[in-house]
PDB file of all heavy atoms in Angstrom:
ATOM      1  N   LYS Z  81       0.755  33.151   6.932  1.00 98.00           N
ATOM      2  CA  LYS Z  81       0.554  32.652   8.293  1.00 98.00           C
ATOM      3  C   LYS Z  81      -0.942  32.543   8.542  1.00 98.00           C
ATOM      4  O   LYS Z  81      -1.675  33.505   8.331  1.00 98.00           O
ATOM      5  CB  LYS Z  81       1.189  33.607   9.307  1.00 98.00           C
ATOM      6  CG  LYS Z  81       1.029  33.167  10.747  1.00 98.00           C
ATOM      7  CD  LYS Z  81       1.713  34.166  11.685  1.00 98.00           C
ATOM      8  CE  LYS Z  81       1.599  33.763  13.132  1.00 98.00           C
ATOM      9  NZ  LYS Z  81       2.236  34.773  14.024  1.00 98.00           N
ATOM     10  N   ILE Z  82      -1.379  31.362   8.976  1.00 98.00           N
ATOM     11  CA  ILE Z  82      -2.775  31.139   9.324  1.00 98.00           C
ATOM     12  C   ILE Z  82      -2.851  30.966  10.835  1.00 98.00           C
ATOM     13  O   ILE Z  82      -2.168  30.115  11.401  1.00 98.00           O
ATOM     14  CB  ILE Z  82      -3.336  29.870   8.636  1.00 98.00           C
ATOM     15  CG1 ILE Z  82      -3.218  29.981   7.106  1.00 98.00           C
ATOM     16  CG2 ILE Z  82      -4.779  29.612   9.079  1.00 98.00           C
ATOM     17  CD1 ILE Z  82      -4.098  31.019   6.471  1.00 98.00           C
ATOM     18  N   GLU Z  83      -3.679  31.792  11.494  1.00 98.00           N
ATOM     19  CA  GLU Z  83      -3.831  31.746  12.949  1.00 98.00           C
ATOM     20  C   GLU Z  83      -5.253  31.342  13.316  1.00 98.00           C
ATOM     21  O   GLU Z  83      -6.210  31.780  12.685  1.00 98.00           O
ATOM     22  CB  GLU Z  83      -3.548  33.111  13.556  1.00 98.00           C
ATOM     23  CG  GLU Z  83      -2.132  33.593  13.341  1.00 98.00           C
ATOM     24  CD  GLU Z  83      -1.922  34.980  13.911  1.00 98.00           C
ATOM     25  OE1 GLU Z  83      -1.938  35.118  15.156  1.00 98.00           O
ATOM     26  OE2 GLU Z  83      -1.766  35.921  13.104  1.00 98.00           O
ATOM     27  N   LEU Z  84      -5.357  30.542  14.370  1.00 98.00           N
ATOM     28  CA  LEU Z  84      -6.653  30.119  14.889  1.00 98.00           C
ATOM     29  C   LEU Z  84      -6.999  30.913  16.140  1.00 98.00           C
ATOM     30  O   LEU Z  84      -6.136  31.549  16.741  1.00 98.00           O
ATOM     31  CB  LEU Z  84      -6.614  28.622  15.221  1.00 98.00           C
ATOM     32  CG  LEU Z  84      -6.221  27.689  14.081  1.00 98.00           C
ATOM     33  CD1 LEU Z  84      -6.212  26.241  14.572  1.00 98.00           C
ATOM     34  CD2 LEU Z  84      -7.143  27.861  12.887  1.00 98.00           C
ATOM     35  N   GLN Z  85      -8.248  30.837  16.550  1.00 97.00           N
ATOM     36  CA  GLN Z  85      -8.714  31.556  17.747  1.00 97.00           C
ATOM     37  C   GLN Z  85      -7.974  31.106  19.009  1.00 97.00           C
ATOM     38  O   GLN Z  85      -7.785  31.895  19.924  1.00 97.00           O
ATOM     39  CB  GLN Z  85     -10.221  31.350  17.946  1.00 97.00           C
ATOM     40  CG  GLN Z  85     -11.082  31.997  16.898  1.00 97.00           C
ATOM     41  CD  GLN Z  85     -11.287  33.483  17.126  1.00 97.00           C
ATOM     42  OE1 GLN Z  85     -10.815  34.078  18.081  1.00 97.00           O
ATOM     43  NE2 GLN Z  85     -12.026  34.107  16.208  1.00 97.00           N
ATOM     44  N   ASN Z  86      -7.536  29.845  19.049  1.00 96.00           N
ATOM     45  CA  ASN Z  86      -6.866  29.324  20.245  1.00 96.00           C
ATOM     46  C   ASN Z  86      -5.386  29.697  20.301  1.00 96.00           C
ATOM     47  O   ASN Z  86      -4.666  29.248  21.188  1.00 96.00           O
ATOM     48  CB  ASN Z  86      -7.027  27.805  20.341  1.00 96.00           C
ATOM     49  CG  ASN Z  86      -6.294  27.049  19.237  1.00 96.00           C
ATOM     50  OD1 ASN Z  86      -5.554  27.621  18.440  1.00 96.00           O
ATOM     51  ND2 ASN Z  86      -6.512  25.744  19.194  1.00 96.00           N
ATOM     52  N   GLY Z  87      -4.914  30.515  19.346  1.00 97.00           N
ATOM     53  CA  GLY Z  87      -3.518  30.939  19.321  1.00 97.00           C
ATOM     54  C   GLY Z  87      -2.628  30.044  18.482  1.00 97.00           C
ATOM     55  O   GLY Z  87      -1.487  30.398  18.193  1.00 97.00           O
ATOM     56  N   GLY Z  88      -3.132  28.891  18.092  1.00 97.00           N
ATOM     57  CA  GLY Z  88      -2.355  28.009  17.215  1.00 97.00           C
ATOM     58  C   GLY Z  88      -2.175  28.650  15.847  1.00 97.00           C
ATOM     59  O   GLY Z  88      -3.023  29.430  15.400  1.00 97.00           O
ATOM     60  N   PHE Z  89      -1.056  28.346  15.202  1.00 98.00           N
ATOM     61  CA  PHE Z  89      -0.818  28.884  13.870  1.00 98.00           C
ATOM     62  C   PHE Z  89       0.078  27.956  13.079  1.00 98.00           C
ATOM     63  O   PHE Z  89       0.786  27.123  13.636  1.00 98.00           O
ATOM     64  CB  PHE Z  89      -0.219  30.296  13.934  1.00 98.00           C
ATOM     65  CG  PHE Z  89       1.206  30.320  14.420  1.00 98.00           C
ATOM     66  CD1 PHE Z  89       2.263  30.234  13.525  1.00 98.00           C
ATOM     67  CD2 PHE Z  89       1.483  30.424  15.773  1.00 98.00           C
ATOM     68  CE1 PHE Z  89       3.573  30.242  13.981  1.00 98.00           C
ATOM     69  CE2 PHE Z  89       2.788  30.439  16.234  1.00 98.00           C
ATOM     70  CZ  PHE Z  89       3.836  30.339  15.329  1.00 98.00           C
ATOM     71  N   LYS Z  90       0.031  28.119  11.775  1.00 98.00           N
ATOM     72  CA  LYS Z  90       0.940  27.426  10.853  1.00 98.00           C
ATOM     73  C   LYS Z  90       1.352  28.432   9.796  1.00 98.00           C
ATOM     74  O   LYS Z  90       0.593  29.338   9.466  1.00 98.00           O
ATOM     75  CB  LYS Z  90       0.278  26.224  10.200  1.00 98.00           C
ATOM     76  CG  LYS Z  90      -0.011  25.089  11.176  1.00 98.00           C
ATOM     77  CD  LYS Z  90      -0.486  23.849  10.451  1.00 98.00           C
ATOM     78  CE  LYS Z  90      -0.815  22.734  11.411  1.00 98.00           C
ATOM     79  NZ  LYS Z  90       0.310  22.082  12.015  1.00 98.00           N
ATOM     80  N   THR Z  91       2.574  28.277   9.283  1.00 98.00           N
ATOM     81  CA  THR Z  91       3.033  29.107   8.175  1.00 98.00           C
ATOM     82  C   THR Z  91       3.210  28.223   6.944  1.00 98.00           C
ATOM     83  O   THR Z  91       3.623  27.063   7.049  1.00 98.00           O
ATOM     84  CB  THR Z  91       4.352  29.835   8.510  1.00 98.00           C
ATOM     85  OG1 THR Z  91       5.343  28.871   8.845  1.00 98.00           O
ATOM     86  CG2 THR Z  91       4.167  30.817   9.650  1.00 98.00           C
ATOM     87  N   PHE Z  92       2.886  28.796   5.806  1.00 98.00           N
ATOM     88  CA  PHE Z  92       2.949  28.087   4.533  1.00 98.00           C
ATOM     89  C   PHE Z  92       3.778  28.929   3.573  1.00 98.00           C
ATOM     90  O   PHE Z  92       3.493  30.113   3.378  1.00 98.00           O
ATOM     91  CB  PHE Z  92       1.544  27.867   3.979  1.00 98.00           C
ATOM     92  CG  PHE Z  92       0.665  27.053   4.899  1.00 98.00           C
ATOM     93  CD1 PHE Z  92      -0.134  27.681   5.841  1.00 98.00           C
ATOM     94  CD2 PHE Z  92       0.659  25.671   4.838  1.00 98.00           C
ATOM     95  CE1 PHE Z  92      -0.930  26.948   6.704  1.00 98.00           C
ATOM     96  CE2 PHE Z  92      -0.133  24.922   5.708  1.00 98.00           C
ATOM     97  CZ  PHE Z  92      -0.936  25.567   6.635  1.00 98.00           C
ATOM     98  N   SER Z  93       4.790  28.308   2.978  1.00 98.00           N
ATOM     99  CA  SER Z  93       5.695  28.997   2.051  1.00 98.00           C
ATOM    100  C   SER Z  93       5.682  28.292   0.704  1.00 98.00           C
ATOM    101  O   SER Z  93       5.015  27.266   0.532  1.00 98.00           O
ATOM    102  CB  SER Z  93       7.113  29.011   2.627  1.00 98.00           C
ATOM    103  OG  SER Z  93       7.136  29.726   3.849  1.00 98.00           O
ATOM    104  N   ALA Z  94       6.439  28.826  -0.243  1.00 98.00           N
ATOM    105  CA  ALA Z  94       6.476  28.294  -1.608  1.00 98.00           C
ATOM    106  C   ALA Z  94       6.600  26.776  -1.611  1.00 98.00           C
ATOM    107  O   ALA Z  94       7.460  26.209  -0.936  1.00 98.00           O
ATOM    108  CB  ALA Z  94       7.624  28.919  -2.386  1.00 98.00           C
ATOM    109  N   GLY Z  95       5.686  26.133  -2.318  1.00 98.00           N
ATOM    110  CA  GLY Z  95       5.657  24.679  -2.406  1.00 98.00           C
ATOM    111  C   GLY Z  95       4.710  24.034  -1.419  1.00 98.00           C
ATOM    112  O   GLY Z  95       4.360  22.868  -1.569  1.00 98.00           O
ATOM    113  N   ASP Z  96       4.266  24.780  -0.399  1.00 98.00           N
ATOM    114  CA  ASP Z  96       3.321  24.241   0.580  1.00 98.00           C
ATOM    115  C   ASP Z  96       1.894  24.379   0.065  1.00 98.00           C
ATOM    116  O   ASP Z  96       1.594  25.234  -0.781  1.00 98.00           O
ATOM    117  CB  ASP Z  96       3.419  24.986   1.911  1.00 98.00           C
ATOM    118  CG  ASP Z  96       4.732  24.767   2.636  1.00 98.00           C
ATOM    119  OD1 ASP Z  96       5.394  23.728   2.392  1.00 98.00           O
ATOM    120  OD2 ASP Z  96       5.097  25.637   3.454  1.00 98.00           O
ATOM    121  N   SER Z  97       1.012  23.554   0.617  1.00 98.00           N
ATOM    122  CA  SER Z  97      -0.405  23.638   0.268  1.00 98.00           C
ATOM    123  C   SER Z  97      -1.233  23.315   1.507  1.00 98.00           C
ATOM    124  O   SER Z  97      -0.748  22.703   2.461  1.00 98.00           O
ATOM    125  CB  SER Z  97      -0.739  22.658  -0.858  1.00 98.00           C
ATOM    126  OG  SER Z  97      -0.471  21.322  -0.469  1.00 98.00           O
TER     127      SER Z  97
END
Side-chain angles (χ1 to χ4, degrees):
K81 180 179 181 182
I82 301 292
E83 297 178 69
L84 304 179
Q85 292 280 359
N86 67 6
F89 71 91
K90 292 188 182 286
T91 58
F92 300 92
S93 298
D96 293 336
S97 61

